[in-house]
Amino acid sequence: MPTMYATFADNFIYGGHLFVHTNANPYSLVTPVTHIIRNMSAEQPVEHAATLAEIRAKVLEPDRLNSLVFGLFAAVALAIAVVGVVGVLAFSVSARTREFGIRLALGSQPEDLLRSVVTQGAIMAAAGIFAGAAFGFCVVHVAGSYFGGLKMPGALPVIISAFVLLGAAVIASMLPAARAARVDVMQALRSE
């Protein structure tokens, strides 16, 4: 907000604020400052004494609430994404149990199966990240023509978000991958 400082002798300011810089307890100065102001002008109201930290906290409170709400929504979205990756990969591993049994019977190592399932989860997550980024770019471009001042976030938050999502997908794919690596060969070959 544009601000101009002027002395009371130059301009009389309605609804002004008086800032007092002190190293002592700021509330101990409220009474003496109020007496000085009352001696200068008996009708001058003095109210809402607060420290600069309290004023800053009050001004930033809506931003903090927005950050908290958006953070909670992001955490829920990440949890849904992790559950989705685990569910899809668990279904894939369940459907491919016979294949994994045959691969193990032919000499494939369990680490290879683990790596295969984790790679499948990472590819699925990368495709989702790419599709989401492309869709988000298109939405911002279209919405920017209707709403002024709408802009894309910087590259750093997008890259960090992509790595967080990719990391979450890789971690989520570890559980189905471990299940695939522990397939009992005889049980898998008898299935169906």
Side-chain angles (χ1 to χ4, degrees):
M1 167 184 295
T3 305
M4 183 178 77
Y5 293 95
T7 64
F8 284 113
D10 294 337
N11 285 327
F12 185 75
I13 301 173
Y14 293 96
H17 301 281
L18 175 66
F19 292 95
V20 178
H21 180 69
T22 180
N23 291 330
N25 178 7
Y27 289 107
S28 66
L29 297 176
V30 172
T31 305
V33 169
T34 303
H35 287 306
I36 292 170
I37 293 173
R38 295 270 191 253
N39 289 338
M40 293 170 65
S41 174
E43 297 86 29
Q44 181 66 41
V46 177
E47 52 191 18
H48 304 300
T51 64
L52 199 54
E54 292 169 349
I55 293 170
R56 185 182 309 120
K58 187 175 181 180
V59 168
L60 294 177
E61 188 174 354
D63 292 335
R64 287 186 181 139
L65 180 63
N66 286 342
S67 297
L68 178 68
V69 169
F70 286 134
L72 288 174
F73 280 135
V76 168
L78 184 62
I80 290 171
V82 166
V83 168
V85 168
V86 169
V88 168
L89 288 178
F91 179 75
S92 173
V93 165
S94 176
R96 296 171 60 191
T97 302
R98 185 173 173 87
E99 173 198 338
F100 291 144
I102 292 171
R103 287 174 64 180
L104 286 172
L106 293 175
S108 181
Q109 296 299 316
E111 295 83 25
D112 296 335
L113 297 179
L114 187 106
R115 193 176 312 111
S116 169
V117 174
V118 170
T119 302
Q120 182 184 0
I123 290 171
M124 190 170 51
I129 290 167
F130 179 73
F135 180 72
F137 179 76
C138 292
V139 167
V140 167
H141 184 68
V142 170
S145 63
Y146 293 107
F147 305 109
L150 193 64
K151 59 181 179 180
M152 287 286 291
L156 185 64
V158 172
I159 291 169
I160 290 173
S161 300
F163 276 118
V164 166
L165 287 172
L166 192 59
V170 168
I171 291 170
S173 62
M174 290 294 199
L175 183 66
R179 185 171 151 221
R182 288 191 315 262
V183 167
D184 182 23
V185 176
M186 295 309 293
Q187 184 80 20
L189 294 175
R190 284 191 200 125
S191 66
E192 294 185 28

